[in-house]
Amino acid sequence: MSDPVLSVRNLNIDYIGAETNFHAVKNVSFDIAPGEFFGLAGESGCGKSTIAFAVSRLHRPPALIRTGSEILVSGRDVLGLNDADLRKFRWREVAMVFQSAMNSLNPVLTIEAQFYDVLRAHGPISRAEARARATELLKLVDIAPERLDNYPHQCSGGMRQRIVIAICLALNPKLLIMDEPTTALDVVVQREILQRIDVLRKRLGFSVLFITHDLGLMVQVSDRIGIMLEGELVEVNDAQTIYRHPQHPYTQRLWASMPKLHGEQTRREPVL
Amino acid sequence: MSDAILTLDNVTKVFGRADKPVYAARAVSFALHPGRTLALVGESGSGKTTAARLIMREYTPDEGQLLFRGVPLGKGDARALRNYRSSVQMVFQDPFASLNPTHTIRYHLERPLKLHQKGLTSAQRQAAIVELLERVKLDPKLIMPKFPHELSGGQRQRISIARALAVNPQVIVADEPTSMLDVSVRQGILNLLNDMKAELKLALLYITHDIATARYVADDIMVMYAGQIVEWGAVNKVLDDPQHPYTRLLLSAVPDPDRRFDDVRFADELGRVEEIRTLSARPQPETAQAGENHFYRPFPAV
């Protein structure tokens, strides 16, 4: 295997409290290969979003990464970056799509202005060049270039989400982190967006760290999956093995609790 | 099938200007039966919640009517409305927003009892609260003095169900009751709804965009798009042999671990998303029968 795009080693993160600390991420290690679609699954509070934030250095106090933790992106130590390097690192190396990303567009700027904003911050570019690049990027996510002159409220939720993804791809990042990117959207739109991402990563070669609690969806799109339980990464394997031959009892219980779309219908009991 | 307890008969609800009407419900007809669960599925904006609001009588139909036990519901005064609401209750999507943060759980359950069962003494009410909490499998002693923020999402949703059951309803409308819960607690809530339906002979309308859970709890299913019910019938018949293109589109988009993304079969359907959406949004007045208890609206000709 070629060198990983992302390498997380012995990651420990605490949330510092007045009396006690909460150990949110416990000794987590995993790698993501170039072009790989890696899924991180788990329930609310299991630490999956905390990891995503740490990878892009977006974690804020009271979250504290313990010494001895290591996050490498293309071999570079992310935790040691200074502010100037960090600014270059974000978007260019790692871009992140948040859960309600469609609400993260600025409501008073046109779509075109928001592309210009990102492109200009990362190197000299003329307005016309930026517009050309934005047109190209919108094409990637299947949105007509006329939309550049629209304001966010004129676009549907799914469209806004795709625009955010296009902005994330503006600087050809090596890793795209998506934290529950489609939870707020209906299944047809969700399917369209993820299918699009899948095609793009195969064409452009970026890796994806995909976070969701929807295990069925995760098996459909991911190459490999990590299952988190209470801050620990309890099982990592390729998607089909996680689905067909889960090893950890928690993974087995998660599958057992999921209603199926086809086949026999039996009463299912909750996991906990 | 037993007699319907609540019927929507050709109900239409229009919003917006007269020259640019938005049909939130277009000639919607269905019936709820005691001891049966009817699932209403569709994407956001398809009119699912409008259907719920029509049943809860927060909206009045522009056309058509609602019948309760076969009797058409008129405008009615406040008392008639209160009587109706003691028979028809709702469980909402967001268990964080639907409970009042400044009141204890005891207060939440005592209020509907005070309002709808005026004859009860304080001790009887107390006993009723204990029984309700036991019914939704929560420890009454532990839970009663607590405030909503001290409970988990799943526990709160159980409280919402207990509150709905407090007035001995015959119909429960559950609008996305599990979509904000983790998978592990989701199942507990679905089982609870199933058990309540069976034990109390409730008529349940289960509104969701999660078709897999709809299959799990429902006997019958309706697929809604752009305010119209495009396909309906026994849950397994509709899901195993979908007739309407929108139903097929919806089913092909449902996350299913048995089908990888590169599978071409759905790419076909998904490639036609806009076409199917546009055509499905047109009025589809015809009804066709695909089998016993399985109906759909034939696609309008282009």
Side-chain angles (χ1 to χ4, degrees):
Chain A
M1 198 163 82
S2 49
D3 287 343
V5 166
L6 173 69
S7 185
V8 173
R9 285 287 167 278
N10 308 319
L11 183 62
N12 279 288
I13 305 177
D14 293 297
Y15 283 100
I16 307 299
E19 280 146 30
T20 52
N21 298 340
F22 179 70
H23 196 181
V25 176
K26 297 169 184 161
N27 225 16
V28 166
S29 302
F30 64 94
D31 286 335
I32 300 181
E36 185 174 43
F37 207 119
F38 185 84
L40 203 52
E43 300 184 77
S44 17
C46 73
K48 54 191 195 304
S49 293
T50 305
I51 292 178
F53 277 76
V55 169
S56 40
R57 280 275 299 276
L58 285 167
H59 65 287
R60 292 255 173 92
L64 201 73
I65 299 182
R66 286 193 196 171
T67 43
S69 306
E70 213 176 41
I71 297 174
L72 302 174
V73 170
S74 311
R76 261 169 95 203
D77 176 17
V78 174
L79 299 178
L81 294 177
N82 62 30
D83 284 357
D85 288 338
L86 195 56
R87 232 182 345 263
K88 281 187 217 143
F89 162 81
R90 288 186 188 140
W91 298 92
R92 199 175 284 284
E93 301 278 328
V94 174
M96 187 157 170
V97 181
F98 298 94
Q99 177 162 5
S100 48
M102 57 206 194
N103 300 325
S104 61
L105 292 169
N106 188 332
V108 298
L109 292 182
T110 62
I111 305 300
E112 190 255 341
Q114 318 211 23
F115 272 98
Y116 182 56
D117 208 28
V118 172
L119 292 166
R120 192 190 45 176
H122 288 267
I125 191 165
S126 74
R127 196 89 196 201
E129 283 167 346
R131 196 180 170 94
R133 176 81 178 123
T135 305
E136 201 178 303
L137 288 161
L138 282 187
K139 221 176 273 169
L140 286 180
V141 292
D142 236 352
I143 289 178
E146 296 84 67
R147 290 282 173 181
L148 280 175
D149 301 315
N150 281 171
Y151 288 89
H153 76 269
Q154 294 170 292
C155 306
S156 70
M159 227 181 250
R160 290 204 299 271
Q161 191 74 305
R162 280 182 286 161
I163 290 168
V164 170
I165 289 167
I167 295 177
C168 280
L169 297 176
L171 298 163
N172 296 319
K174 297 193 182 78
L175 176 66
L176 185 65
I177 301 177
M178 300 195 295
D179 187 1
E180 304 264 8
T182 52
T183 310
L185 305 169
D186 67 74
V187 282
V188 177
V189 179
Q190 161 176 290
R191 177 68 193 241
E192 283 181 293
I193 288 179
L194 287 174
Q195 198 142 29
R196 173 66 43 183
I197 294 273
D198 191 42
V199 168
L200 287 176
R201 65 117 181 180
K202 280 170 184 154
R203 194 192 320 160
L204 304 176
F206 58 84
S207 310
V208 180
L209 172 57
F210 179 49
I211 292 174
T212 182
H213 62 262
D214 190 334
L215 272 173
L217 179 65
M218 185 159 273
V219 169
Q220 274 188 302
V221 291
S222 303
D223 300 317
R224 280 193 313 139
I225 291 176
I227 305 282
M228 292 206 56
L229 171 64
E230 291 166 8
E232 283 179 77
L233 194 57
V234 295
E235 186 169 359
V236 183
N237 220 325
D238 66 89
Q240 284 303 312
T241 311
I242 287 272
Y243 174 45
R244 293 185 196 284
H245 309 288
Q247 299 300 308
H248 196 277
Y250 176 68
T251 317
Q252 291 164 359
R253 287 204 305 271
L254 277 180
W255 282 123
S257 76
M258 268 189 48
K260 290 235 165 76
L261 203 54
H262 303 283
E264 207 170 318
Q265 189 78 271
T266 50
R267 187 181 172 98
R268 290 161 187 278
E269 295 305 326
V271 178
L272 301 171
Chain B
M1 213 182 286
S2 51
D3 284 343
I5 182 149
L6 186 74
T7 310
L8 267 75
D9 180 21
N10 262 312
V11 170
T12 295
K13 182 74 193 169
V14 188
F15 293 106
R17 298 196 311 252
D19 58 328
K20 214 179 159 190
V22 176
Y23 283 81
R26 195 196 283 271
V28 168
S29 298
F30 61 83
L32 298 173
H33 300 269
R36 276 184 91 78
T37 300
L38 175 62
L40 177 56
V41 302
E43 63 182 40
S44 25
S46 61
K48 307 190 295 283
T49 299
T50 298
R53 293 204 167 141
L54 283 162
I55 291 177
M56 296 317 294
R57 303 185 69 189
E58 285 173 40
Y59 293 156
T60 42
D62 293 320
E63 281 168 44
Q65 59 178 356
L66 276 78
L67 296 98
F68 186 67
R69 299 181 171 288
V71 181
L73 290 168
K75 279 225 155 60
D77 56 5
R79 180 182 298 182
L81 196 59
R82 188 161 68 223
N83 283 340
Y84 177 76
R85 292 227 166 101
S86 76
S87 305
V88 182
Q89 279 287 309
M90 184 148 178
V91 175
F92 297 92
Q93 175 173 15
D94 187 349
F96 299 84
S98 61
L99 300 176
N100 187 330
T102 63
H103 288 302
T104 62
I105 300 308
R106 181 201 311 269
Y107 177 90
H108 278 96
L109 296 180
E110 193 162 28
R111 239 174 94 85
L113 291 170
K114 274 185 175 165
L115 193 65
H116 290 282
Q117 299 188 36
K118 292 209 161 97
L120 296 185
T121 65
S122 169
Q124 283 170 325
R125 272 201 303 272
Q126 207 56 28
I129 294 171
V130 169
E131 200 192 310
L132 283 168
L133 287 170
E134 281 170 351
R135 201 175 257 297
V136 297
K137 307 207 165 49
L138 291 171
D139 184 346
K141 262 211 182 81
L142 217 64
I143 298 287
M144 263 196 288
K146 296 220 169 174
F147 287 90
H149 76 268
E150 298 176 275
L151 305 181
S152 70
Q155 285 174 323
R156 283 184 233 201
Q157 207 56 305
R158 285 173 194 271
I159 298 298
S160 301
I161 294 171
R163 179 175 57 179
L165 293 176
V167 299
N168 292 324
Q170 288 148 329
V171 177
I172 287 193
V173 176
D175 190 359
E176 304 263 16
T178 62
S179 66
M180 301 198 46
L181 305 175
D182 269 324
V183 258
S184 63
V185 283
R186 204 171 275 188
Q187 211 52 39
I189 298 294
L190 294 177
N191 287 344
L192 180 64
L193 285 173
N194 256 348
D195 296 343
M196 297 297 99
K197 172 195 78 173
E199 285 167 28
L200 303 173
K201 290 270 170 286
L202 292 173
L204 196 63
L205 179 66
Y206 177 70
I207 299 177
T208 187
H209 61 257
D210 183 347
I211 299 176
T213 63
R215 176 168 184 258
Y216 184 74
V217 297
D219 305 289
D220 304 299
I221 194 168
M222 302 182 285
V223 179
M224 197 165 192
Y225 187 79
Q228 295 174 99
I229 312 282
V230 295
E231 186 158 359
W232 64 99
V235 73
N236 282 323
K237 288 185 180 157
V238 172
L239 297 186
D240 292 344
D241 186 24
Q243 299 295 317
H244 196 280
Y246 181 73
T247 313
R248 288 204 293 268
L249 174 66
L250 198 60
L251 279 170
S252 71
V254 172
D256 182 346
D258 283 320
R259 306 188 291 195
R260 285 283 301 177
F261 255 32
D262 8 68
D263 199 324
V264 277
R265 278 178 303 159
F266 337 101
D268 292 351
E269 208 76 81
L270 282 166
R272 296 175 55 217
V273 170
E274 280 319 311
E275 186 194 338
I276 292 174
R277 283 204 172 114
T278 311
L279 291 176
S280 302
R282 296 185 186 183
Q284 299 168 59
E286 306 299 322
T287 300
Q289 185 155 12
E292 198 201 336
N293 194 13
H294 183 184
F295 304 86
Y296 66 102
R297 305 238 181 245
F299 218 38
V302 188

